[in-house]
């Protein structure tokens, strides 16, 4: 039995979208040249690339939920060009340069789609601040500066006075600004890409795949009301890849949480005194992510939780204490906006691995996967999905060679209950160590 996504229905990004058209669902027996499971960043990119490479093929893209309801529509709205913090510390400079190139290829790809289809998703070349609250955060910033120098990347220091004018709060002491990141409304971007797929892609939503079986050289994907028969299956399923029997005991399901306000009124904007359309990530990775959206919403993201049962691990009580934590962080930064409520609190699941390695490649005959984004899903999902399609059809490229260079096999996890206890301990320890930066 495959455990399915069970996301809460309180995602702010998704809630403000216009109502979606009725879903087309899997019914009867369908035959396809290629089937892709998962319609997030990776699945959408894989389907689009397959359609470009094989314009006469029949391609089915199937998802258990609606497009943008899952993890791809639940992040904080950053598309980051720089390798993740832990990858930046990798001893191999060539690996870091390849990751940087792959991320920037993904950003250019997304930019092209936003422009081509006029996707209204607050797409913005705003860059990114990495902010410190106190001495612990500033020590992390000094380390980050050295990593930027080693990488040969552009950055600049932003001191407290300038930072306060941007953020509308004097809570932060210093920041480093890097110009290559983009901001967006993730649910709007993902939904917009789903609405503008090539003609030879059939998108089936609200159609969970319950089982994979092989018969006579073909894969049979069993749904509730129909099946898909195909020789090639692409798993763009991230943490749920292990539900199909692959990468078992190698991926960790972690949920991070965000809350946001309603749009600030004109009068509240005067009290806020900052700018619109910026994003700040914490110098200390366990700290707080902060955003002001282009439509005047302040977003707070922190709090991590190990979720072995995915969305079923989270109830209303958990969301309430998460919102209480977020409210505390909001008031610490914006005490003059104490009357502004947090209207939505939501979580999103992503996969991490103990050796911080992403999987990309063939799992067995006819089964391919990109899994384990390690928390940087927008750029990584886009480029890994695109290149998974190239791998399936045998289209060689430098980018394909690069992604094969930087990926590998996630380490095995210890057995339960040691795994759950260990993850909970690490999360709580990181929160305690970073308490001054929250």
């Amino acid at each position: 039995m495959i455990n399915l996504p069970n996301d809460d229905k309180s995602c702010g990004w998704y809630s403000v979208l216009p109502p979606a058209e009725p879903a087309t669902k899997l019914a009867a027996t369908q035959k396809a040249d290629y089937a892709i499971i998962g319609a997030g960043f990776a699945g959408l990119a894989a389907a689009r690339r397959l359609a470009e490479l094989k314009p006469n093929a029949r391609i089915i893209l199937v998802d258990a939920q609606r497009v943008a309801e899952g993890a791809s529509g639940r992040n904080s709205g950053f598309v980051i060009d720089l390798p993740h913090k832990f990858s930046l510390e990798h001893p191999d400079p060539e690996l870091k340069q390849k990751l940087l190139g792959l991320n920037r290829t993904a950003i250019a790809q997304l930019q092209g789609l936003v422009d081509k289809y006029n996707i209204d998703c607050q797409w913005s070349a705003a860059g990114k601040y990495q902010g410190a609250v106190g001495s612990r955060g500033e020590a992390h910033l000094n380390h980050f500066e050295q990593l930027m120098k080693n990488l040969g990347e552009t950055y600049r220091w932003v001191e407290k006075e300038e930072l306060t004018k941007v953020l509308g709060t004097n809570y932060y002491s210093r920041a480093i600004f890097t110009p290559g990141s983009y901001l967006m409304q993730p649910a709007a971007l993902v939904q917009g890409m789903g609405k503008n797929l090539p003609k030879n892609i059939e998108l089936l939503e609200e159609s969970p795949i319950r089982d994979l079986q092989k018969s006579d050289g073909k894969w049979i994907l069993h749904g509730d009301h129909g099946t898909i028969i195909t020789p090639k299956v692409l798993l763009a399923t991230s943490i749920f890849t292990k539900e199909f029997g692959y990468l078992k005991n190698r991926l960790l399901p972690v949920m991070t949480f965000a809350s946001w306000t309603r749009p600030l009124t004109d009068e509240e904007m005067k009290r806020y005194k900052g700018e619109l359309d910026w994003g700040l990530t914490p110098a200390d990775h366990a700290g707080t992510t902060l955003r002001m959206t282009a439509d005047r919403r302040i977003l707070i993201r922190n709090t991590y939780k190990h979720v072995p049962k995915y969305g079923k691990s989270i109830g209303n009580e958990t969301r309430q204490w998460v919102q209480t934590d977020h409210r505390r962080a909001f008031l610490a930064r914006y005490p003059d906006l104490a009357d502004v409520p947090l209207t939505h609190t939501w979580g999103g699941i992503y996969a991490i691995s103990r050796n911080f390695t992403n999987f990309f490649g063939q799992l067995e005959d006819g089964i391919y996967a990109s899994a384990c984004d390690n928390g940087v899903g927008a750029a990584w999902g886009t480029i890994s999905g695109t290149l998974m399609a190239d791998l399936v059809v045998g289209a060689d490229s430098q980018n394909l060679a690069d992604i094969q260079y930087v990926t590998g096999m996630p380490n095995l996890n210890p057995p339960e209950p040691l795994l759950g206890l260990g993850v909970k301990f690490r999360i709580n320890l990181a929160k305690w160590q970073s308490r001054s930066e929250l």
Side-chain angles (χ1 to χ4, degrees):
M1 173 63 74
I2 288 176
N3 294 301
L4 296 171
N6 187 35
D7 290 310
D8 59 66
K9 301 300 181 182
S10 62
C11 176
W13 298 117
Y14 193 81
S15 71
V16 299
L17 296 180
E21 296 292 327
T24 300
K25 301 180 183 181
L26 173 61
T29 298
Q30 307 291 329
K31 293 184 178 181
D33 298 295
Y34 304 94
I36 301 145
I37 304 177
F41 281 109
L44 289 165
R48 184 176 299 280
R49 180 61 172 163
L50 278 176
E52 293 171 354
L53 296 169
K54 299 289 183 179
N56 297 318
R58 186 178 187 222
I59 300 161
I60 292 180
L61 175 60
V62 59
D63 198 286
Q65 303 182 104
R66 300 304 303 269
V67 169
E69 275 191 332
S72 289
R74 292 171 170 268
N75 61 65
S76 296
F78 292 84
V79 191
I80 297 174
D81 61 334
L82 293 169
H84 193 280
K85 173 182 171 59
F86 296 105
S87 297
L88 279 175
E89 296 173 338
H90 197 282
D92 182 357
E94 186 176 359
L95 179 141
K96 290 183 279 194
Q97 290 294 340
K98 289 181 185 299
L99 281 171
L100 184 62
L102 291 167
N103 288 343
R104 287 180 172 160
T105 299
I107 289 173
Q109 185 174 324
L110 291 170
Q111 174 83 66
L113 293 173
V114 169
D115 292 344
K116 181 177 181 179
Y117 298 110
N118 195 28
I119 300 174
D120 183 10
C121 64
Q122 302 180 32
W123 182 263
S124 170
K128 179 176 71 70
Y129 296 89
Q130 189 153 322
V133 176
S135 58
R136 177 181 171 87
E138 290 190 21
H140 281 284
L141 283 186
N142 291 332
H143 179 54
F144 182 64
E145 179 185 32
Q146 189 58 54
L147 295 174
M148 290 294 94
K149 287 180 177 178
N150 294 343
L151 198 58
E153 283 298 303
T154 299
Y155 69 94
R156 70 178 180 89
W157 283 96
V158 183
E159 301 300 338
K160 188 180 184 76
E161 183 178 356
E162 179 188 353
L163 194 59
T164 297
K165 291 178 181 178
V166 173
L167 306 183
T169 175
N170 63 5
Y171 191 76
Y172 293 89
S173 59
R174 301 180 84 192
I176 287 178
F177 178 80
T178 50
S181 294
Y182 282 63
L183 299 177
M184 46 80 178
Q185 207 279 38
L189 174 58
V190 174
Q191 189 179 82
M193 292 190 293
K195 288 179 178 178
N196 292 283
L197 291 169
K199 299 293 186 184
N200 58 329
I201 299 172
E202 183 171 0
L203 174 62
L204 303 176
E205 300 174 275
E206 296 180 347
S207 301
I209 299 302
R210 302 282 184 177
D211 188 36
L212 288 177
Q213 293 181 343
K214 197 168 189 181
S215 176
D216 297 327
K218 298 286 183 71
W219 286 96
I220 304 172
L221 286 59
H222 295 277
D224 292 336
H225 304 291
T227 58
I228 302 169
I229 301 174
T230 181
K232 304 285 187 183
V233 179
L234 287 71
L235 296 177
T237 42
S238 187
I239 187 62
F240 296 99
T241 304
K242 66 191 187 77
E243 296 297 330
F244 295 99
Y246 302 105
L247 305 178
K248 290 184 74 67
N249 302 318
R250 294 182 184 275
L251 307 179
L252 290 167
V254 174
M255 184 175 285
T256 183
F257 297 87
S259 297
W260 75 1
T261 68
R262 55 163 169 71
L264 300 187
T265 65
D266 290 346
E267 189 275 330
E268 289 161 351
M269 286 296 297
K270 291 177 182 177
R271 283 188 269 150
Y272 160 66
K273 298 178 183 178
E275 298 179 2
L276 291 177
D277 194 30
W278 52 260
L280 178 144
T281 57
D284 185 341
H285 70 276
T288 296
T289 294
L290 188 66
R291 273 200 64 187
M292 168 57 89
T293 67
D295 60 350
R296 299 182 172 187
R297 300 174 188 270
I298 297 175
L299 181 147
I300 297 276
R301 188 194 75 175
N302 59 38
T303 312
Y304 299 83
K305 187 173 177 61
H306 179 223
V307 284
K309 297 181 180 179
Y310 312 124
K312 289 183 179 179
S313 299
I314 304 300
N316 288 331
E317 183 178 346
T318 300
R319 273 189 290 274
Q320 187 57 55
W321 70 252
V322 167
Q323 187 175 102
T324 299
D325 272 359
H326 290 172
R327 184 71 182 167
R328 188 179 302 115
F330 175 78
L331 292 176
R333 290 158 176 81
Y334 299 106
D336 291 341
L337 297 174
D339 55 331
V340 177
L342 297 177
T343 60
H344 296 80
T345 297
W346 67 94
I349 303 169
Y350 63 96
I352 62 174
S353 61
R354 293 176 62 235
N355 58 343
F356 209 75
T357 295
N358 301 354
F359 179 84
F360 173 92
Q362 186 168 358
L363 291 163
E364 64 171 293
D365 185 35
I367 301 281
Y368 302 80
S370 170
C372 197
D373 57 44
N374 281 299
V376 285
W380 182 257
T382 298
I383 194 62
S384 65
T386 300
L387 295 174
M388 183 165 50
D390 285 5
L391 179 67
V392 170
V393 304
D396 289 333
S397 67
Q398 184 59 54
N399 281 334
L400 180 57
D402 286 350
I403 201 170
Q404 291 170 323
Y405 183 94
V406 303
T407 53
M409 181 61 71
N411 280 356
L412 280 169
N413 298 324
E416 293 288 4
L418 294 177
L419 176 63
L421 292 172
V423 174
K424 184 177 181 179
F425 173 78
R426 289 292 299 273
I427 289 173
N428 288 335
L429 176 63
K431 183 176 180 179
W432 182 83
Q433 291 174 330
S434 304
R435 63 195 183 281
S436 63
E437 296 293 308
L438 288 169

